[in-house]
Amino acid sequence: MPKTLFEKIWDNHIVHTVPNGPEVLYIDTHFIHEVTSPQAFDGLAKRGIDVFRKKQIVATADHNVPTLNQHLPIKDRLSRMQVDKLIENCHKNDIELYGLGHPYQGIVHVIGPELGVTQPGMTIVCGDSHTSTHGAFGSIAFGIGTSEVEMVMATQCLLQTKPKLMRITIDGILPKGVVSKDLILYIIAQISASGATGYFVEYAGSAIRALSMEARMTICNMSIEMGARGGLIAPDETTFEYLKGRKFAPQGADWTKKLAQWRELHSDSGAKFDLELHMDAADIAPMITYGTNPGMGIKINAKIPSLASMPSESEQKNLLKSLKYMGLQPDMALEGHPVQHVFIGSCTNARIEDLRQVAALVRGKKKAAGVHVFIVPGSKQVEEQAIREGLDKIFAEAGFQLRQPGCSACLGMNEDKIPAGEYCIATSNRNFEGRQGAGARTLLASPMTAAAAALTGRVTDVRTLLN
Amino acid sequence: MEKFKTIHSQFVPLAIEHVDTDQIIPARFLKATDRLGFGENLFRDWRYYSNGKPIEGFVLNDTQYSGQILVAGQNFGCGSSREHAAWAIADAGFRVVISSFFADIFKNNALNNGLLPVQVSEKFLKKIFLLGNQATLTIDLEKQTVQIDATGETTHFDINPYKKTCLINGFDDIDFLLSLKDKIAAYETARR
Ligand code: SF4
């Protein structure tokens, strides 16, 4: 029987099926970080059991870490305690930790792929919803809660019910100035912030095949923003090319053997999905969000929806509640709206390709007066690569601040917060109320659109700056 | 985990849709390294001004509402996978959350902490929201039903049979998975 890509990987990882119940799914790789792991380590200690497969866990410190002066002790006492606890737990349990100061440190979903830990056909989990990022390599990757982190530490397995499967096929060529972030914001705006709940999504079509690995990661990263458990893309030559030679990628004869297996990882023709959607890449424009969930997005030159266009009373209420928080009005244009902050970072858009795109646009130019622009690389390796390529100089000349790696203003757990009432164009993935700090107003967009706003101080259609 | 028994209680109506876990417990309160105490900061920014004064009108500050059941609009628990959201709700004393739709990870996290997510139809949810502040509901996990006590009107809810057994007996997944360790090791060997 023809199988989907998801089913091929899933079936290959079933250890046991509980009659009438969930399946016991084997997990190949488990990433952990400081925020969602301490209670899991405690739980194990209380049960008096050891970590089962230490070598299959990779740890990093990212959510809480400062992005300036990382060589100094962490000032915030609670953040420091969490990071220290991670160091202690990893040390005690003999788990590889890429903590502060380590050349591999960075946001967990950036370092896994760049180190070649993330590979096609794997099952990958992390106590973090954006684990979906790793699906870009053709793996089943999804976020879990802390109790589940404990389960995986204890047994390398999880109890899971097979999700429904959706395939979104995007054919055609993305217009100039339109990048993968726009593509995924467009998809979420089409199907809403809950439209894929209960599903795992496979992205396919010529527009996806044409994307680089970095761009594919941006797409899979935001699958969770439409409610999906995760997203995945069949591996192809682009994937293999990216992985070849990376630190933990297979080498030599092992590589050849794996490659042959990976080439089998695609949905067979005739494989059945519970839902299939088709979209046209040519219809996509630079996107921006106006509201307080990632489904509230529009083309940058469109207007915020009017009340009359809302299909129900409850959606009118939602719209008004969001716009009140955002300090915006129904039916108004966003283009030209002033912004005070530009944040380029997060596991969605802080890879080297994102930084290169920004640098190419701003080379030789200066940021608008009064705008605070900061770039937070996704990892130490991205930071160093950017410096090797001289991007740091371009940013410095433009008045952009290049910081040190971490989650930063994506979730405002460290000191990088946006002040209440101010607007921030962010390349991250969530515009929830207070996400970037209490009262902060977030407009999600691509790195290109963020860079354009940095130059003009306003919401700007990047296509007007490209020639 | 505490065994889950039939709940008969008033409820707290939170008539808001798409309640994300950043609202349930904002990131700045995720710095603890144990599971307790999160209830204090449940819905922090909707519940208190930045100076710590309670925001009048927010339902958790309204003394006419009480009980172990939280009732919320659709797509409850979307966003971040933080289990702290389920801990905060449980720590605040709730045993049940009713909505017409739950985000996946939240649902799992809740179940893993003895907090029962009950999904009802949009229509039934509306009915609950229209009840007065003294109304009570009965949640019978054994029968998988929610009852509006005043009228006796009842609806059925779904739950994975395995999870149901776990809740009723107070077992958790780890106990079960640990019992399979030989099988897991055999799987690893077979794949090598
Ligand atoms: S960058 Fe943001 S979304 Fe990504 S892991 Fe960090 S906090 Fe989560």
Side-chain angles (χ1 to χ4, degrees), chain A residues 48-338:
Chain A
I49 49 180
D50 268 345
V51 176
F52 185 52
R53 293 289 179 250
K54 303 169 191 225
K55 297 284 164 255
Q56 284 165 253
I57 306 179
V58 176
T60 188
D62 54 3
H63 282 65
N64 247 327
V65 302
T67 54
L68 290 172
N69 292 320
Q70 285 187 345
H71 62 291
L72 297 177
I74 301 177
K75 275 188 279 179
D76 181 285
R77 190 180 63 90
L78 291 173
S79 296
R80 187 172 67 238
M81 272 169 55
Q82 252 185 0
V83 171
D84 285 350
K85 192 90 198 159
L86 181 72
I87 297 172
E88 182 192 318
N89 282 329
C90 288
H91 182 76
K92 255 201 255 168
N93 292 286
D94 196 17
I95 290 168
E96 187 78 68
L97 167 66
Y98 303 134
L100 277 186
H102 195 286
Y104 296 162
Q105 180 266 338
I107 305 174
V108 59
H109 312 309
V110 176
I111 68 168
E114 81 185 357
L115 290 171
V117 175
T118 301
Q119 294 168 20
M122 282 183 161
T123 47
I124 299 173
V125 295
C126 173
D128 190 286
S129 52
H130 292 96
T131 308
S132 58
T133 313
H134 307 261
F137 290 79
S139 58
I140 293 184
F142 55 94
I144 56 178
T146 299
S147 296
E148 293 169 312
V149 170
E150 189 180 331
M151 280 172 222
V152 180
M153 283 179 179
T155 65
Q156 207 58 36
C157 285
L158 275 179
L159 284 156
Q160 289 289 310
T161 314
K162 191 175 153 198
K164 288 184 286 183
L165 301 178
M166 182 191 304
R167 177 161 60 187
I168 303 179
T169 306
I170 308 113
D171 283 313
I173 296 171
L174 287 176
K176 199 170 167 193
V178 178
V179 293
S180 70
K181 179 63 163 286
D182 300 307
L183 173 52
I184 187 64
L185 284 172
Y186 174 88
I187 295 174
I188 303 168
Q190 300 277 312
I191 72 175
S192 93
S194 57
T197 303
Y199 287 93
F200 226 93
V201 179
E202 180 177 343
Y203 301 93
S206 58
I208 298 290
R209 294 263 76 89
L211 297 175
S212 68
M213 285 318 292
E214 279 91 345
R216 292 180 191 185
M217 285 187 249
T218 303
I219 304 269
C220 289
N221 174 276
M222 287 192 75
S223 303
I224 183 81
E225 279 4 299
M226 49 189 174
R229 243 13 261 286
L232 74 174
I233 294 173
D236 58 11
E237 293 311 317
T238 306
T239 320
F240 310 144
E241 193 53 42
Y242 177 97
L243 274 174
K244 195 163 190 188
R246 296 210 176 238
K247 173 94 186 164
F248 295 103
Q251 317 282 345
D254 201 20
W255 169 263
T256 318
K257 189 177 135 212
K258 283 278 188 216
L259 200 58
Q261 291 171 7
W262 293 346
R263 289 191 197 282
E264 299 300 314
L265 293 172
H266 51 78
S267 290
D268 298 328
S269 71
K272 288 265 172 306
F273 290 84
D274 298 287
L275 186 63
E276 292 240 33
L277 299 175
H278 294 267
M279 296 180 194
D280 180 3
D283 183 44
I284 304 171
M287 297 287 293
I288 191 155
T289 64
Y290 57 86
T292 55
N293 77 53
M296 302 172 95
I298 47 173
K299 292 181 181 170
I300 197 153
N301 44 16
K303 283 183 172 174
I304 295 175
S306 64
L307 276 186
S309 71
M310 292 287 114
S312 68
E313 207 181 306
S314 77
E315 295 204 30
Q316 288 185 349
K317 220 175 89 188
N318 287 343
L319 179 66
L320 285 177
K321 179 174 174 286
S322 285
L323 292 180
K324 182 166 170 236
Y325 178 85
M326 292 298 293
L328 300 169
Q329 303 291 329
D331 209 25
M332 88 184 242
L334 259 187
E335 210 179 343
H337 196 281

Side-chain angles (χ1 to χ4, degrees), chain A residues 4 6-7 10-11 14 22-23 160-165 198 274:
Chain A
T4 63
F6 181 92
E7 288 163 326
W10 180 269
D11 292 352
I14 293 175
E23 279 160 321
Q160 289 289 310
T161 314
K162 191 175 153 198
K164 288 184 286 183
L165 301 178
D274 298 287

